[in-house]
Structures are given as C-alpha cells and as structure tokens.
C-alpha cells in the first residue's frame, strides 16, 4: 500500500517507521517546506531485567529513515491508498482538508479514539471509507537538545529528500547522519504485536487488514473505544497532579470512580473500577514497559489535555450520574485559570 501519515508529530513519524518495506510510506506536513526533510525515529530496543530498579532502557536502536514531505509534493507523487490522520478531524484546517480531498485516497484512518470522531471523518470526507487506527505503540517527540547519536541509514521515499540531518560520510549509498535538535522521536512497540488496532465498517477493515498484514489487527469497535473509558480518567488525574506519577498513585480513588461512571455510560451496566487494581496496573507498567513511563506519561498527556477533557465531557454529558467525571473536568478547567 501507499500510505501517508498526516502530521509530523510523534505518532505520525513513529507510525511511518513501523511500516515494512512492502509499503511506500511518508509523513506529510505543511512545515516540511518545498524540499522536504527527514526524520530518524529511534526504537527503544534493549532493557536489563536484572536491574534491581526494574527494567531500565540501556540502548535505543536507529531505525529506518522517515521522509517528511508537503501536500503539494505528495499529490504530485501520484495516488495514495491510505491517509492516517494524527490530528483530530475537527482540528484540521480548510487547507489540509482540501489537500486530502484532492488526493482522494481510498481509505482514511483516524488515530483519535474520541467518541464521534470516526463519524466526523466520514462527514468531512464522504467519498472515502473511514476507519479508526488505534496505535499499539508508545511514541514521544523529544524536546530540543544536543544532537542525537550518529545513525546509519539508506535513502528512500518521496523525492529522496534528506533535509534536517548532517551528513558525516558513508559508503555504498549509505551515510552516517546526526539528527538535528528538536527533530528526534523515540518509540516502543511490543515485538511481534500489531502496530494498529483497526475498527470500523467491516468491508473497509477487511481490505486494510488483508493489504497491511501483521501491521493491523481487526477488532470490534468496543475494543478501541472501551479502553479509554478506563484509563483516561487516570490520565486526567495525572495532568491535575502536574504530571507526577507518584502523586497519581496516591490519589487513585477519584479517577477509579470516574472510570466506573464512564464504563457504565459506555456499556449500560455498572462495572466497578477499583483503585487498588489501578495501583497494581501502574506498578506493573513501571516494570514491564521498557521506557521510563513515570516521566513519559506526564510529558505525553500534558500535550493532550484538551482531548482528555473532551473525552471526559462526552461521557459526562450522556451519563445519568457522573459526579466524579464532572469533578475531574472542573479540576482540569482550573489548570487554565
């Protein structure tokens, strides 16, 4: 398949890097400029299970080069089968919407798991089949800092652009390059697992899974939309606690009750979520996920507070009783005061 990721953020760049050589993939961004540029996302790949402090990362591995192009160059490069939106459909500006309509992909996927966003995609792009792509990996764009370690890569992709890197020599078509500050993405994806959970109209899902193979796992819509009802209240509490993982672990009662309210709203039956179970899960994440999740979570979700609030509000508005959901919303709103 020929796949475009809309948006040169962490999800778009890491998602593009996770595709195989069987597919032609690029990231499209208006910030790419007329000559494009490149990114070299790094996959967290090694950890030490014998360390007494858990499983700290000991190495990250350089991965494939990801081409970042603009909409004009992408359109000139021919027809694309799939565009993956990493921006919520309601946040796309008119210029981007127009560019996507001009390309007219057969499929559009949204990575948003907010209630109603799939329907919004279908309304904005009625001539295209729409699905949800739930990312099955963690990714983060690092803050500007010193240049990253030198990586070896070969050129590939739209226009063979190679901006945003410093060449330090090479041989046989390869070059040693340093990633410039502010353009580095790291990510972790479980070995052997699918990269996206795909939900939506059955015909579109079947075609995409057949063409993407192990990259995509078809799941019922509830498998994509239900998990956020459990974990987003805890994400909200984390943001309210200024991103402190330790503070979250000592304040689990409110988000647990809010999660129970959200699950009841989604399923129509009361299913309790217990703070003690959440504590066990959080401690397991600290030990199993081979990144420093205690710092990652606070940084990552601080960038998405608006989306967190929208998800809470959607469940609260349609629930008969949502005291704790509304309490979390009020606390998030207070962060802006």
């Amino acid at each position: 398949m020929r796949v475009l990721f809309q948006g040169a953020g962490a999800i778009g760049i890491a998602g593009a890097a996770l595709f195989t050589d069987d597919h032609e993939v690029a990231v499209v961004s208006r910030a790419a400029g007329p000559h494009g540029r490149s990114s070299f996302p790094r996959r967290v790949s090694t950890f030490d299970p014998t360390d007494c402090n858990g499983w700290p990362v000991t190495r990250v591995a350089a991965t494939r080069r990801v081409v970042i192009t603009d909409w004009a160059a992408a359109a000139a490069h021919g027809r694309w089968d799939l565009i993956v939106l990493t921006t919520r459909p309601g946040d796309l500006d008119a210029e981007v919407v127009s560019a996507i309509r001009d390309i007219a992909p057969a499929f559009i996927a949204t990575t948003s798991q907010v209630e109603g966003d799939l329907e919004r995609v279908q309304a904005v792009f009625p001539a295209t089949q729409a699905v949800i792509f739930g990312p099955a990996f963690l990714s983060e764009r690092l803050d500007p800092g010193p240049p990253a370690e030198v990586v070896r890569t070969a050129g590939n992709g739209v226009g063979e652009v190679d901006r945003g890197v410093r060449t330090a020599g090479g041989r046989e078509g390869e070059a040693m390059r340093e990633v410039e500050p502010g353009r580095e993405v790291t990510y972790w994806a479980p070995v052997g697992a699918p990269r996206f959970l795909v939900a939506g109209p059955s015909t579109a899902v079947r075609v995409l899974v057949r063409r993407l193979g192990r990259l995509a796992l078809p799941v019922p819509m509830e498998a994509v939309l239900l998990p956020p009802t459990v974990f987003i209240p805890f994400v909200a509490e984390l943001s309210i606690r200024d991103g402190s993982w330790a503070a979250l672990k000592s304040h689990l009662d409110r988000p647990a009750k809010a999660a129970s309210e959200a699950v009841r709203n989604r399923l129509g039956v009361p299913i309790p979520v217990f703070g003690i179970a959440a504590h066990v899960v959080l401690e397991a994440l600290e030990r199993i996920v081979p990144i420093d999740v205690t710092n990652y979570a606070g940084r990552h979700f601080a960038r998405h507070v608006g989306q967190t609030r929208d998800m809470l509000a959607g469940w609260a508005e349609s629930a008969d009783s949502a005291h704790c959901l509304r309490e979390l919303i009020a606390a998030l709103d207070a962060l802006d005061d």
Side-chain angles (χ1 to χ4, degrees):
M1 290 192 76
R2 303 189 70 230
V3 182
L4 276 180
F5 280 82
Q6 171 272 323
I11 289 179
I13 290 173
L18 285 164
F19 271 69
T20 67
D21 291 334
D22 294 333
H23 308 281
E24 183 178 351
V25 185
V27 174
V28 62
S29 170
R30 288 188 303 173
H35 302 294
R37 55 187 173 87
S38 298
S39 179
F40 297 89
R42 298 190 299 161
R43 180 175 183 172
V44 175
S45 62
T46 305
F47 48 88
D48 182 5
T50 65
D51 191 284
C52 62
N53 295 318
W55 292 12
V57 174
T58 58
R59 179 171 63 86
V60 291
T63 57
R64 70 182 63 235
R65 169 187 170 206
V66 172
V67 171
I68 302 175
T69 187
D70 61 19
W71 288 105
H77 202 61
R79 182 174 175 83
W80 296 85
D81 302 304
L82 167 67
I83 292 181
V84 182
L85 304 179
T86 66
T87 300
R88 290 186 61 191
D91 294 335
L92 295 172
D93 61 37
E95 185 177 346
V96 172
V97 169
S98 178
I100 293 173
R101 287 173 176 164
D102 288 343
I103 289 175
F107 303 95
I108 289 183
T110 176
T111 57
S112 172
Q113 293 163 274
V114 177
E115 295 271 2
D117 271 1
L118 177 60
E119 290 73 19
R120 294 182 183 97
V121 172
Q122 292 171 328
V124 175
F125 306 104
T128 302
Q129 298 184 74
V131 298
I132 294 178
F133 265 29
F137 55 88
L138 302 179
S139 60
E140 183 173 29
R141 189 165 187 167
L142 303 184
D143 293 330
E149 66 189 39
V150 175
V151 300
R152 181 179 291 279
T153 182
N156 65 331
V158 179
E160 299 297 328
V161 295
D162 199 17
R163 303 291 187 261
V165 295
R166 285 196 282 274
T167 301
R171 63 181 183 277
E172 296 179 355
E174 293 186 335
M176 299 294 287
R177 300 178 174 94
E178 283 184 346
V179 182
E180 291 187 356
R183 292 184 176 175
E184 185 178 1
V185 168
T186 59
Y187 67 94
W188 172 69
V191 175
R195 303 319 183 198
F196 295 94
L197 305 180
V198 186
S202 58
T203 301
V205 169
R206 281 197 300 269
V207 173
L208 286 170
V209 169
R210 184 177 69 247
R211 297 183 66 181
L212 294 177
R214 293 184 301 170
L215 290 167
L217 178 68
V219 296
M221 188 63 70
E222 290 298 333
V224 173
L225 297 182
L226 185 58
T229 65
V230 177
F231 73 79
I232 286 297
F234 294 95
V235 166
E237 192 70 49
L238 179 65
S239 296
I240 292 163
R241 303 292 167 185
D242 199 28
S244 170
W245 188 265
L248 169 63
K249 288 170 65 176
S250 63
H251 294 83
L252 293 175
D253 186 58
R254 178 170 65 178
K257 291 178 179 177
S260 295
E261 294 173 355
V263 171
R264 182 173 65 248
N265 170 62
R266 182 73 198 172
L267 296 181
V269 295
I271 298 180
V273 177
F274 298 105
I276 189 169
H279 193 277
V280 171
V281 170
L282 293 177
E283 291 205 329
L285 287 174
E286 293 177 35
R287 289 169 171 78
I288 295 173
V289 177
I291 63 172
D292 186 357
V293 70
T294 62
N295 287 318
Y296 164 85
R299 290 193 305 266
H300 176 76
F301 290 111
R303 298 166 182 157
H304 303 282
V305 172
Q307 180 167 311
T308 297
R309 189 199 182 284
D310 287 347
M311 297 179 85
L312 296 176
W315 301 319
E317 288 170 3
S318 56
D320 294 332
S321 176
H323 172 74
C324 290
L325 283 169
R326 294 190 179 97
E327 190 175 319
L328 285 177
I329 293 168
L332 285 175
D333 289 343
L335 296 177
D336 296 328
D337 293 344

